Amino acid sequence: MKNNLTQLETLLDYNFKNKELLIQALTHSSASADNYEKLEFLGDSLLSSYVTKHIFNYTNLKVGEMSTLRSNLVSTTSLSNIILEYGINKFVILGDSLANNSTHITNILADIFESLLAAIYIDGGESQSLKFVNKFLLSSFNENVVVDYKTKLQELIQKHYNGTKIEYRELGHTGPSHDLTFNIGLFLNGEKQAEANGKTKKQAEQLCAKIVFNKLKVKG
């Protein structure tokens, strides 16, 4: 386990003074009573505060758009995808009842992000916990998570192309099961208008919707 912790600390770019705290942050309740639940509670609050301040200070968005951006950034899907993308999931400690059960894994991985944040905050202070959030979350956000293009496209269709059927289809996916990339196509009345790739189906659908929305907006 010690070697594994060293690998994880390198990945996190933070060395824990209290290694037991790191182990606790990685441990699900199915594996031990000394688990991440209290840390996740603190991490959830810290994450919301950090993200809110960042959006307030570094964007010129309207209040509704700021809320949308924050919700998308701290969503279960967003956080779990980060844990998977960086391979942090390999260090999660699960009990036998969940080791081979993927039903709740998305929620668990999102919890792990928040528990790690809290553990770093307790062990190293606010500057280190902010560094963690900036590295893994805030450094990569963009307008694609601010604007809900699926909704904007639906509204545009209803206004100018009423009766047109919008359909999103999975055209395929690539990569290992823990790190899939989805290929999604957007069809209007059965005809493909766009396709895009994303780490989640929702992300790819949003990218497709953005492409078609911009096409139709220009025509309109």
Side-chain angles (χ1 to χ4, degrees):
M1 176 58 115
K2 186 175 181 181
N3 290 336
N4 286 341
L5 290 182
T6 300
Q7 293 172 21
L8 178 57
E9 287 176 322
T10 299
L11 181 59
L12 297 176
D13 195 21
Y14 178 76
N15 293 317
F16 276 81
K17 296 182 284 290
N18 182 355
K19 306 298 184 185
E20 294 301 318
L21 187 61
L22 174 55
I23 293 173
Q24 180 184 351
L26 297 167
T27 303
H28 185 260
S29 58
S30 62
S32 173
D34 189 19
N35 56 66
Y36 67 63
E37 289 183 354
K38 285 188 68 176
L39 290 171
E40 185 268 329
F41 175 78
L42 174 60
D44 178 70
S45 180
L46 289 170
L47 183 62
S48 179
S49 175
Y50 291 168
V51 171
T52 298
K53 289 177 183 177
H54 188 88
I55 293 171
F56 181 84
N57 289 329
Y58 297 104
T59 69
N60 294 309
L61 302 171
K62 297 177 181 178
V63 172
E65 293 174 330
M66 287 193 291
S67 295
T68 299
L69 175 55
R70 180 177 60 190
S71 295
N72 282 309
L73 283 171
V74 303
S75 70
T76 297
T77 299
S78 171
L79 300 183
S80 62
N81 281 342
I82 291 169
I83 296 296
L84 287 170
E85 179 183 352
Y86 286 90
I88 301 172
N89 57 299
K90 295 182 294 185
F91 302 94
V92 176
I93 303 168
L94 300 174
D96 292 338
S97 62
L98 287 177
N100 297 310
N101 186 342
S102 61
T103 304
H104 306 292
I105 195 64
T106 299
N107 289 330
I108 291 171
L109 295 184
D111 290 345
I112 290 293
F113 184 97
E114 294 173 338
S115 65
L116 284 172
L117 168 59
I120 292 172
Y121 175 82
I122 293 169
D123 193 75
E126 185 173 69
S127 63
Q128 291 295 332
S129 59
L130 274 170
K131 180 181 175 183
F132 171 81
V133 173
N134 284 326
K135 174 179 179 177
F136 290 102
L137 183 65
L138 295 177
S139 62
S140 61
F141 81 82
N142 56 59
E143 69 159 335
N144 290 325
V145 294
V146 180
V147 181
D148 182 359
Y149 278 101
K150 289 180 69 174
T151 298
K152 290 175 73 71
L153 177 62
Q154 182 69 44
E155 292 172 348
L156 184 67
I157 291 291
Q158 289 176 346
K159 184 175 181 180
H160 297 290
Y161 305 91
N162 194 27
T164 299
K165 179 183 177 183
I166 305 174
E167 185 180 3
Y168 298 89
R169 301 178 191 170
E170 182 181 340
L171 303 179
H173 56 261
T174 58
S177 59
H178 68 279
D179 188 25
L180 291 174
T181 295
F182 295 94
N183 180 231
I184 299 293
L186 192 160
F187 295 76
L188 297 182
N189 289 336
E191 295 187 9
K192 188 173 74 172
Q193 304 296 319
E195 66 177 270
N197 297 321
K199 298 307 296 182
T200 66
K201 292 180 182 179
K202 181 178 179 181
Q203 181 186 59
E205 288 172 357
Q206 286 285 353
L207 292 172
C208 281
K210 179 180 180 180
I211 293 170
V212 177
F213 174 82
N214 288 330
K215 282 182 181 178
L216 296 181
K217 189 177 179 182
V218 170
K219 289 182 179 180

